[in-house]
Amino acid sequence: MGFFSQNAVFAGVLAIAFLSHFILFNVYEKRRSKKRSVADGVIGAIGNTPLIKIKSLSNATGCEILAKAEFLNPGGSVKDRVAAKIIQEALQSGELVKGGVITEGSAGSTAVSLATVAPAYGCKCHVVIPDDAAIEKAQILEALGATVERVRPVSITHKDHFVNVARRRAMEATICANEKEVKPCKNENLMGSSDSFNDFYDKVESELYKTVNGQILVDHSKLVKESSDSSTNFSGNESKGGYFADQFENLANFRAHYEGTGPEIWEQTGGSLHAFVAAAGTGGTLAGISCFLKDKVSDIKCFLIDPPGSGLFNKVTRGVMYTREEAEGKRLKNPFDTITEGIGINRVTRNFQMARLDGAFRGTDMEAVEMSRFLLKNDGLFVGSSSAMNCVGAVRVARLLGPGHTIVTILCDSGMRHLSKFYNPQYLSAHNLTPCASGLEFLGNT
């Protein structure tokens, strides 16, 4: 028995040694594989952002409120995904070439994201922004090497609206590239179109724009064709063509979230979530994520949270963009009166049309301001205006569904780009938006 006992002990020791070696080897391999996990440049670092639990809101509502920390993208916002997708698809289709210029009219973070990722694709960036946008955004864009053009705010129906000017700039660059000889362009033409181009633009405007039920639609199939039929100038010594990013109507925006953000949320929650809520500007984030989640489980509820001055709340809840009084002609020409930036709109974009929603909530500027301070004080989250509005929506959804549900929203960007307005005590005081709440009482009981 002693012999067999010794053999058994020896065999046991060998087994333990082998098992220990196996475990240690696997741990080592996992650690080594993690060390090998290197992002492929700035583009490879976009996405796969953390999904974090907002403890203060979760404790207050009895729900698990989770937020996608999109401010951790390289360019600092959720729009990095969209910018990369738009440029990738344009390069693949041949509508944009390396060395070409991508243009966009943006009052939000898309411009910064385009300026961030464009050089990684070997492209230039030209951004047109309204001159009432936060000054730090223009400063960031210029620091990133983008050409920044500031224009006065006008209605989207006006040809000098910042989005329409950006569209013209892409057309100018394409026309310049199509000339047999690429001629140097004068800088003074940057801030205004030539007479020949204005004549050309007026001629094709009616075909590019079509109004359906009061909504402005763009016929993209004619844009490149028409632009090649005229000639104009564009800034720079030479041009390799231009491409208008068109974040509002370009469905690459939707696809960025249907193929990226949505699947990430599904994987990070293990498919265990009950609702998603977000505000909408272009509508791409809300549409892409809502469609993906509902394709997975149709019972997942998806909601819009809409800021003051936007017509999307009415569209979702009543089927029309305007209230009865507004439909009777009392609506202001430029109705926006909100401190939030990058969200809210008074037309239905191609991206927003894709959204699959179960309802909508109306948020206020005061709620967004108070929510931002509440999150900073209780969770250490320094978020921008749209992120704060999204969290207002998350609480509304939590109260609607009741305790025990998992709700996901988006933290679009940080507060760093909102210092001159949203986090400026003097600006807030002048607009009667000075925060004073100690808890969530600013949301009432609704």
Side-chain angles (χ1 to χ4, degrees), residues 167-185:
R167 180 182 288 108
R168 289 209 300 271
R169 297 297 177 248
M171 295 166 71
E172 291 171 0
T174 298
I175 292 166
C176 189
N178 287 341
E179 293 180 349
K180 291 182 180 179
E181 283 187 35
V182 179
K183 301 177 181 179
C185 303

Side-chain angles (χ1 to χ4, degrees), residues 127-400:
V127 179
V128 186
I129 64 174
D131 60 17
D132 62 347
I135 188 64
E136 56 264 35
K137 291 185 178 179
Q139 294 171 334
I140 292 170
L141 289 167
E142 290 171 346
L144 289 170
T147 299
V148 181
E149 182 175 353
R150 297 174 72 94
V151 298
R152 64 186 180 91
V154 293
S155 168
I156 184 65
T157 59
H158 196 290
K159 67 181 180 181
D160 289 329
H161 183 275
F162 63 94
V163 172
N164 297 332
V165 173
R167 180 182 288 108
R168 289 209 300 271
R169 297 297 177 248
M171 295 166 71
E172 291 171 0
T174 298
I175 292 166
C176 189
N178 287 341
E179 293 180 349
K180 291 182 180 179
E181 283 187 35
V182 179
K183 301 177 181 179
C185 303
K186 297 180 179 179
N187 289 335
E188 57 263 26
N189 286 323
L190 180 64
M191 295 305 294
S193 304
S194 64
D195 291 338
S196 61
F197 183 78
N198 277 329
D199 293 339
F200 159 71
Y201 185 84
D202 290 338
K203 179 180 177 182
V204 303
E205 186 181 37
S206 60
E207 293 191 30
L208 287 174
Y209 296 96
K210 297 185 183 300
T211 302
V212 179
N213 295 328
Q215 299 171 25
I216 301 168
L217 304 178
V218 181
D219 189 345
H220 296 265
S221 64
K222 296 183 179 181
L223 188 55
V224 175
K225 177 181 180 299
E226 295 288 359
S227 66
S228 63
D229 293 338
S230 182
S231 62
T232 188
N233 291 330
F234 193 78
S235 66
N237 293 325
E238 61 180 26
S239 172
K240 293 187 178 180
Y243 179 80
F244 177 46
D246 200 8
Q247 60 167 328
F248 289 89
E249 311 300 333
N250 191 334
L251 291 182
N253 186 344
F254 165 85
R255 288 188 286 272
H257 298 291
Y258 186 88
E259 298 171 8
T261 324
E264 288 175 25
I265 290 173
W266 179 260
E267 181 179 352
Q268 289 169 323
T269 59
S272 180
L273 72 156
H274 303 95
F276 173 77
V277 60
T282 65
T285 304
L286 185 62
I289 295 174
S290 66
C291 282
F292 178 84
L293 293 178
K294 283 185 172 290
D295 280 348
K296 284 291 186 180
V297 178
S298 60
D299 288 339
I300 294 176
K301 303 298 182 183
C302 296
F303 298 92
L304 165 77
I305 177 73
D306 211 29
S310 175
L312 295 181
F313 172 82
N314 290 329
K315 184 64 178 178
V316 173
T317 58
R318 301 176 64 244
V320 295
M321 292 294 289
Y322 311 118
T323 64
R324 184 177 293 105
E325 292 77 14
E326 292 166 339
E328 291 172 353
K330 297 180 181 179
R331 190 174 185 82
L332 297 176
K333 182 178 181 181
N334 294 299
F336 287 97
D337 184 20
T338 176
I339 195 174
T340 61
E341 293 188 15
I343 55 175
I345 194 171
N346 277 320
R347 71 183 192 277
V348 176
T349 67
R350 290 180 70 200
N351 282 288
F352 188 83
Q353 285 178 337
M354 305 291 288
R356 295 165 63 182
L357 303 176
D358 297 284
F361 302 92
R362 176 78 82 190
T364 69
D365 282 350
M366 192 73 252
E367 289 170 342
V369 171
E370 291 282 16
M371 178 61 77
S372 67
R373 275 57 175 185
F374 180 85
L375 294 175
L376 184 58
K377 178 181 178 181
N378 293 279
D379 300 272
L381 290 171
F382 182 47
V383 300
S385 56
S386 57
S387 301
M389 188 65 79
N390 284 348
C391 290
V392 169
V395 173
R396 293 278 173 79
V397 173
R399 291 177 174 178
L400 175 69

Side-chain angles (χ1 to χ4, degrees), residues 85-144:
K85 189 67 171 177
I86 287 175
I87 296 177
Q88 287 169 4
E89 291 192 3
L91 289 170
Q92 290 168 1
S93 68
E95 295 175 272
L96 177 67
V97 299
K98 189 174 181 179
V101 59
I102 185 160
T103 73
E104 182 58 291
S106 172
S109 296
T110 303
V112 175
S113 293
L114 284 170
T116 299
V117 304
Y121 289 104
C123 298
K124 303 172 185 177
C125 184
H126 182 107
V127 179
V128 186
I129 64 174
D131 60 17
D132 62 347
I135 188 64
E136 56 264 35
K137 291 185 178 179
Q139 294 171 334
I140 292 170
L141 289 167
E142 290 171 346
L144 289 170

Side-chain angles (χ1 to χ4, degrees), residues 54-63 65 374 395 398-399 403 439-440:
I54 303 181
K55 293 183 178 180
S56 64
L57 300 183
S58 298
N59 293 337
T61 60
C63 289
I65 295 183
F374 180 85
V395 173
R399 291 177 174 178
L440 292 175

Side-chain angles (χ1 to χ4, degrees), residues 43-56:
I43 304 303
I46 296 173
N48 292 310
T49 53
L51 186 66
I52 62 176
K53 179 178 180 178
I54 303 181
K55 293 183 178 180
S56 64

